DNA sequence: AACCAGTACATTGTGCGCAATTGGTTTGTG
DNA sequence: CACAAACCAATTGCGCACAATGTACTGGTT
């Protein structure tokens, strides 16, 4: 499969994994100024995007969408709750579940998201075909390496 | 530029930023088992890759290569120093600089990197053209959003 | 009814990532 | 030479990510 003829450590420039890692952090950093202005972080923004779409979800469902685990989400959601972005309550029917829904502040930020998304899309400057190809490839990668 | 006709929060599925974020974490997670076996983390692996290529660098130069700042690198390098992966010493000529170089254990892991890289490349399963296109697009994105 | 396996979330601990501040070192300018 | 500006790293503080463990709840079995 992979040529092992020459034994040498591969340089950083050949490492796709590094480009992915660097691009992810760079894009997150590009969102940061706009999100900081709204008083939220990037992972919190992603949570809001899911809630704007689904209104109300359990922590488990949220984690499946975002591919984040409880250990990450629980404190994140608590911070979001204390800043008035979301509400958390136990499901009465099955008290193992915590249901997360939008609170007032989380709802009010909804309109800002559209603008942020447009600005970012413009800043990335990819034409629609490139955009879609990249998205397709990234999803392919993610599915290939996921268990 | 960007169509603002319909006002609605964009769904997660349309967010390139999320695919990038998810792919980056997924690929990092795919490296984790192999790296854990070597007793290192993913960012530590990246530091070693740079050092295998350059032998000796200042913290500043390392940060430029990896696009990480001092606040991240200093404790990371200290952990790597205490596990025998790298050495840190002040530059005698200019004592503002800290020079980082490979220590014994960091050198000895060099040969394992080649195998890990091959395994991962196989696991990602992209053909050479896709691989290169993705790398090109990621670098374009990174440069577009970087200051 | 007591038990037990499975599920969902919480908690703890470690390691990044980054902003902001601090402190020591060098360089440039008068 | 003096001294301000620039520079490099360290420190502090906060917020993720994730592994590992603990706790509370549910449904099915006995």
């Amino acid at each position: 499969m992979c040529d092992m003829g020459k034994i040498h450590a591969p340089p950083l420039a050949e490492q796709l994994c590094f480009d992915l890692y660097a691009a992810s952090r760079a894009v997150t950093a590009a969102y940061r100024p706009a999100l900081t202005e709204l008083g939220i972080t990037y992972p919190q923004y992603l949570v809001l995007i899911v809630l704007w779409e689904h209104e109300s979800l359990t922590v488990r469902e949220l984690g499946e969408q975002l591919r984040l685990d409880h250990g990450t989400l629980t404190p994140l959601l608590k911070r979001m709750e204390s800043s008035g972005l979301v509400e958390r309550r136990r499901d009465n029917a099955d008290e193992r579940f915590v249901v997360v829904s939008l609170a007032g502040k989380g709802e009010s930020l909804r309109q800002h998201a559209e603008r942020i998304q447009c600005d970012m899309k413009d800043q990335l400057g990819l034409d629609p075909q490139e955009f879609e190809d990249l998205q397709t490839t990234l999803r392919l990668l993610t599915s290939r390496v996921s268990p």
Side-chain angles (χ1 to χ4, degrees), chain A:
Chain A
M1 301 287 280
C2 196
D3 178 22
M4 289 288 284
K6 304 175 297 182
I7 298 290
H8 61 82
L12 189 63
E14 288 178 14
Q15 304 273 355
L16 180 65
C17 66
F18 173 69
D19 290 304
L20 196 51
Y21 166 80
S24 176
R25 286 190 298 114
V27 169
T28 300
Y31 275 83
R32 195 168 296 123
L35 296 180
T36 300
E37 211 165 316
L38 302 182
I40 59 177
T41 64
Y42 184 72
Q44 291 176 9
Y45 176 62
L46 295 179
V47 169
L48 288 178
I49 286 175
V50 175
L51 288 177
W52 288 325
E53 198 177 352
H54 290 97
E55 198 68 26
S56 166
L57 288 167
T58 67
V59 173
R60 171 180 172 69
E61 291 166 330
L62 207 47
E64 282 168 356
Q65 293 266 331
L66 299 174
R67 300 175 194 284
L68 289 171
D69 70 4
H70 300 144
T72 300
L73 284 174
T74 297
L76 191 158
L77 292 171
K78 282 185 176 177
R79 281 187 291 271
M80 292 182 76
E81 185 178 35
S82 64
S83 35
L85 294 163
V86 303
E87 282 173 0
R88 296 161 67 247
R89 59 172 181 75
R90 288 280 170 184
D91 184 344
N92 292 331
D94 187 337
E95 295 211 345
R96 287 172 300 182
F97 291 92
V98 169
V99 178
V100 183
S101 54
L102 283 170
K105 199 168 165 186
E107 187 65 60
S108 72
L109 293 183
R110 194 173 201 150
Q111 58 200 10
H112 295 287
E114 185 90 352
R115 167 122 310 280
I116 291 175
Q117 195 56 21
C118 286
D119 290 350
M120 285 305 304
K121 220 165 182 173
D122 292 343
Q123 193 180 344
L124 296 184
L126 299 177
D127 66 49
Q129 188 58 53
E130 284 176 316
F131 191 95
E132 193 173 324
D133 288 350
L134 178 55
Q135 202 165 34
T136 302
T137 309
L138 289 174
R139 288 177 185 174
L140 179 64
L141 273 189
T142 302
S143 67
R144 285 262 175 75
V145 301
S146 297

